[in-house]
Amino acid sequence: MSTAPATVNEYTKLSVPKKIGYACGDFACNMSWSLIGSYLVFFLTDVALINATVVGLVIFISKFWDAVNDPIIGSLADHTHSRWGRYRPWVMFAFVPMLIFNVLTFTTNLGWSETARTWWGLGMYFILVLLYTMVNVTYSAMPAMMTRDTETRSGLSSFRMTGAFLAMTVLSFATLRIVNAMGGGVSGYRNAAIVFSLLAVPFFLITILSTKEVVTVDDAKTEKVSFIQQFKVLKGNWPVIQLAVAYLGWGIIQGGMTFRLYFCTYNAGNDLLYANTQTLWSVMGMLGAFSVSYLVTRVKNKGTLGGVAFTLIAVCSIISNFLPITTPAGQAVYYVMNAGVGFGSGMMLGNVFGMMPDTAEYTYHKYGVYCAGFLSTFINFMLKVGQAISIAGAAALLDALGYVAGAAQNSTVLFAMNFGSHMFIGLCSIVCAVAMFSYKLDKAAYTRIVSELRDRGMAN
């Protein structure tokens, strides 16, 4: 007599160890993501000695490529069927090559011509962003398949971002210190990348071994659409559009954050101010991300938390723009403001990542197409577009205003470093706050959608 397969609880509330296991993946991812985001532009201009405008072009091309391949990878992942799930195998098989190219991106040879160094930098980063997409975009889509419980998804997001900010804390405190201890320059940055890439390996393995995809989607009841046709689910899909606006804004904000190492080095005359405030920013980011697990149970709409978080970032960033940064009092207040920005950033990211999986059910309900991977990659696509424009623009602006690596900067360059690091971030955060406060997919609406999917036989 055959035995019917056991019914899997798709609304499982995952244990804390399972959430920690999932969070290890973002700790590992940020051994590349945060290292690139915080130090690559500075490495290319001040260590690899590539013209700042050219660096901006390199970043723009690579980020644009990153943005373009996101939806493609997401669509391929949505159509993946394996004994390990839809998204998990992508992480399993792509993380090692990604870490290898993480090191190669911070490798150069000053004996080469500037043209050769530029093409090498572009090529290595070009491949890295593709491999990173394979790992991180599919990792981001996994919660949609790990449970349908919306608060558990937020918990996964909260733990995930706590792991991410823990990684940022390690990088912020250790990177420049490792670089200096290993001789500085090219070898210092390359060796730092090796250290962080090796550190990522056991954390990737923990995530792979401790996660499981349990949500099933009946492909027979899912509309079959091509990659191009998937874009039709974006029409009138306001929850996805609002998250995309927030992510576009956050991507643009990254351009402003690119200025911070320059700001601390040239405006404040102390590059360790960057390491110290970035460490504080990351620690507070951990607290902000972790707080989402508690706060999300106290609100009716997750968008409210996102709006509050962006508002905090805006206020603290704008205040920082006016501080006398070369004075002890100014630097003391700067630490406090960075703590506020860090807490808001962690709270925002921890919350927004928990909102993305909910849009998969909303889209499935409205359009009959289940495409969590595609939606995740589209939202991340907007992040990459914002980064491509703003980070490349930041580098090009510095060059246009007369930036000279390692020299005293003119007043216009110093103004741009301050404005970009603070006021620009504040203004962009206000726009993002508006998008989050207007988010309509609240908990009641989500519960109704899931109930109707069950009635249609489209969910268990």
Side-chain angles (χ1 to χ4, degrees), residues 26 136 140 143 153-154 157-158 160-161 243 247 348-358 376 380 383:
D26 221 4
N136 191 259
S140 298
R153 286 174 172 177
S154 291
S157 177
S158 175
R160 167 193 177 173
M161 291 315 304
L243 287 183
Y247 258 48
M348 181 277 295
L349 290 170
N351 183 61
V352 170
F353 277 117
M355 296 166 73
M356 278 198 289
D358 295 350
S376 174
N380 275 285
L383 172 70

Side-chain angles (χ1 to χ4, degrees), residues 242-284:
Q242 286 168 302
L243 287 183
V245 169
Y247 258 48
L248 175 65
W250 184 248
I252 292 173
I253 286 170
Q254 304 305 299
M257 291 186 173
T258 298
F259 281 112
R260 284 200 65 244
L261 179 52
Y262 293 94
F263 170 79
C264 292
T265 300
Y266 295 106
N267 292 61
N270 180 8
D271 60 354
L272 283 182
L273 177 64
Y274 176 79
N276 294 337
T277 54
Q278 196 73 356
T279 301
L280 177 62
W281 184 92
S282 302
V283 170
M284 295 304 296

Side-chain angles (χ1 to χ4, degrees), residues 23 34 101 121 124 140 151 157 201-202 217 222 243 245 282 403 424 432:
S34 291
F101 279 89
M124 295 303 100
S140 298
E151 289 189 356
S157 177
V201 172
V217 177
T222 301
L243 287 183
V245 169
S282 302
Y403 171 76
F424 178 77
C432 295

Side-chain angles (χ1 to χ4, degrees), residues 31 46 87 158 216 337 389:
M31 291 296 107
D46 285 42
Y87 308 119
S158 175
T216 57
M337 293 301 104
I389 295 170

Side-chain angles (χ1 to χ4, degrees), residues 395-422:
L397 179 63
L398 286 178
D399 189 45
L401 296 177
Y403 171 76
V404 179
Q409 308 301 327
N410 65 56
S411 60
T412 304
V413 170
L414 294 175
F415 173 84
M417 289 175 177
N418 185 23
F419 186 92
S421 297
H422 307 114

Side-chain angles (χ1 to χ4, degrees), residues 181-407:
M182 294 190 172
V186 174
S187 62
Y189 275 92
R190 182 191 63 239
N191 291 335
I194 291 172
V195 169
F196 295 130
S197 296
L198 290 174
L199 179 60
V201 172
F203 289 92
F204 272 125
L205 293 176
I206 291 171
T207 292
I208 291 167
L209 294 173
S210 64
T211 55
K212 184 178 181 180
E213 297 182 17
V214 301
V215 173
T216 57
V217 177
D218 188 346
D219 290 335
K221 295 180 180 179
T222 301
E223 184 181 347
K224 302 297 187 295
V225 294
S226 68
F227 170 70
I228 298 299
Q229 289 174 324
Q230 282 187 100
F231 283 89
K232 75 177 186 179
V233 305
L234 302 177
K235 183 179 180 180
N237 195 333
W238 284 107
V240 172
I241 292 171
Q242 286 168 302
L243 287 183
V245 169
Y247 258 48
L248 175 65
W250 184 248
I252 292 173
I253 286 170
Q254 304 305 299
M257 291 186 173
T258 298
F259 281 112
R260 284 200 65 244
L261 179 52
Y262 293 94
F263 170 79
C264 292
T265 300
Y266 295 106
N267 292 61
N270 180 8
D271 60 354
L272 283 182
L273 177 64
Y274 176 79
N276 294 337
T277 54
Q278 196 73 356
T279 301
L280 177 62
W281 184 92
S282 302
V283 170
M284 295 304 296
M286 275 193 290
L287 296 177
F290 193 75
S291 73
V292 173
S293 292
Y294 171 79
L295 295 174
V296 75
T297 64
R298 300 295 188 270
V299 295
K300 296 179 180 179
N301 190 328
K302 295 179 182 179
T304 302
L305 295 183
V308 170
F310 272 118
T311 300
L312 179 60
I313 295 170
V315 171
C316 292
S317 297
I318 292 172
I319 291 174
S320 295
N321 187 79
F322 300 101
L323 296 177
I325 197 61
T326 56
T327 68
Q331 291 190 9
V333 177
Y334 192 63
Y335 275 98
V336 175
M337 293 301 104
N338 271 273
V341 171
F343 188 89
S345 298
M347 181 179 168
M348 181 277 295
L349 290 170
N351 183 61
V352 170
F353 277 117
M355 296 166 73
M356 278 198 289
D358 295 350
T359 65
E361 269 77 29
Y362 176 88
T363 303
Y364 194 27
H365 176 269
K366 184 171 182 177
Y367 300 95
V369 178
Y370 195 86
C371 51
F374 172 77
L375 295 176
S376 174
T377 52
F378 172 73
I379 293 170
N380 275 285
F381 169 85
M382 299 304 290
L383 172 70
K384 306 294 176 57
V385 168
Q387 289 178 323
I389 295 170
S390 64
I391 295 178
L397 179 63
L398 286 178
D399 189 45
L401 296 177
Y403 171 76
V404 179

